[in-house]
Amino acid sequence: MKRIPVLIAVSFLLVGSWTQCQQRAAEKPYRSAASLPQTEAEKQVLTVLDNMVKSHETYLSVPGEDGKALRLLAEAKGAKNVVEIGTSTGYSGLWICLALQRTGGHLTTYEIDHQRATMAREHFKKAGIDHLVTIIEGDAHQQLSKQRGPIDVAFIDADKGGYVDYLNKLLPLMQPGGLILAHNIEMVPDYVKVVTSSADLETIFYMEGAGLSVTLKKR
Ligand SMILES: C[S@@+](CC[C@H](N)C(=O)[O-])C[C@H]1O[C@@H](n2cnc3c(N)ncnc32)[C@H](O)[C@@H]1O
């Protein structure tokens, strides 16, 4: 008979500690920490990135979490040939170049707006990585016809209505095992549908920043 109050007390204890665990998890979500430079060259790029944010020299740029993801994926892939659609003032390109400093790769980045392309050029120079980047000015939908493969990593971050067209133009140039990344995926449902419904592709979503899809072109 005494067992019933004991069982009730144990249940209360279990529910209480489970609730505490949930509260602690909500208070301390796992977020990416700031990047710490290992070399002077890395420090120079990170300093420019930091200054760009502080002096509002970004335009619709990726948040730092996504920048870090771009760097991490390009570096892990050992990327030699990276293509970006939508340079803006160079913020995401600089993150990608942190990887290219290590992999010996090159970034080709497309921008339709001359003023933003000019600012990007200045930022790449200040960061000491201008030799790693080629900026192609003009409409990427047309300019991409001159792009050479094989591409290891492609990053799409321009006109949202153009994502599927960019994907169709980039896919034949992608290395098997290559990665196609796309930003603001919550704004491009048609693109998401395409990359999640092909047997030739495998896609995951990284949502710590502004929503980045990571699509593998299967071998
Ligand atoms: C979201 S911003 C890119 C942000 C950049 N990736 C970053 O994180 O710093 C989009 C850029 O794409 C450019 N853009 C839009 N349509 C384009 C097109 N058809 N061809 C090339 N660039 C385009 C815009 O001018 C704008 O600078």
Side-chain angles (χ1 to χ4, degrees):
M1 283 302 126
K2 278 181 190 164
R3 273 196 197 144
I4 291 169
V6 172
L7 278 176
I8 292 171
V10 169
S11 309
F12 270 111
L13 272 175
L14 285 175
V15 170
S17 56
W18 180 81
T19 312
Q20 271 185 350
C21 280
Q22 294 294 102
Q23 277 168 350
R24 248 178 261 137
E27 283 160 18
K28 276 192 180 176
Y30 291 93
R31 303 219 42 106
S32 303
S35 291
L36 302 174
Q38 197 182 36
T39 63
E40 276 308 308
E42 195 176 359
K43 190 174 173 186
Q44 196 176 339
V45 179
L46 288 170
T47 303
V48 173
L49 282 166
D50 202 29
N51 289 341
M52 279 176 77
V53 174
K54 285 183 182 143
S55 56
H56 307 289
E57 287 176 20
T58 56
Y59 172 80
L60 298 179
S61 296
V62 299
E65 292 89 345
D66 290 337
K68 198 184 287 220
L70 295 175
R71 182 253 173 101
L72 198 144
L73 291 165
E75 193 160 335
K77 183 86 190 84
K80 296 281 183 210
N81 189 9
V82 180
V83 170
E84 175 184 56
I85 315 293
T87 319
S88 186
T89 61
Y91 188 78
S92 50
L94 282 163
W95 278 105
I96 292 166
C97 284
L98 283 170
L100 302 180
Q101 281 181 331
R102 307 298 173 106
T103 64
H106 194 87
L107 170 68
T108 306
T109 179
Y110 292 82
E111 177 53 56
I112 202 165
D113 183 274
H114 175 65
Q115 262 188 320
R116 286 198 276 278
T118 305
M119 277 184 86
R121 234 172 246 115
E122 283 165 18
H123 289 137
F124 293 145
K125 195 153 199 251
K126 240 186 233 170
I129 46 85
D130 46 328
H131 59 292
L132 301 179
V133 188
T134 304
I135 302 177
I136 312 271
E137 283 191 48
D139 185 347
H141 292 285
Q142 270 122 54
Q143 298 288 338
L144 262 180
S145 61
K146 293 176 224 149
Q147 177 63 46
R148 291 234 197 104
I151 299 168
D152 303 296
V153 176
F155 175 47
I156 305 172
D157 190 21
D159 47 314
K160 304 306 169 202
Y163 275 35
V164 173
D165 182 55
Y166 291 133
L167 179 73
N168 290 334
K169 287 185 167 131
L170 288 165
L171 265 178
L173 303 172
M174 295 299 302
Q175 184 96 275
L179 298 176
I180 306 125
L181 317 173
H183 202 235
N184 304 121
I185 45 104
E186 283 167 316
M187 295 165 73
V188 287
D190 53 340
Y191 176 87
V192 170
K193 200 166 177 193
V194 175
V195 292
T196 53
S197 57
S198 163
D200 297 331
L201 305 173
E202 194 71 74
T203 297
I204 57 167
F205 301 99
Y206 165 74
M207 303 304 289
E208 193 179 325
L212 183 74
S213 62
V214 181
T215 297
L216 170 76
K217 177 173 169 173
K218 290 189 201 166
R219 287 167 205 274

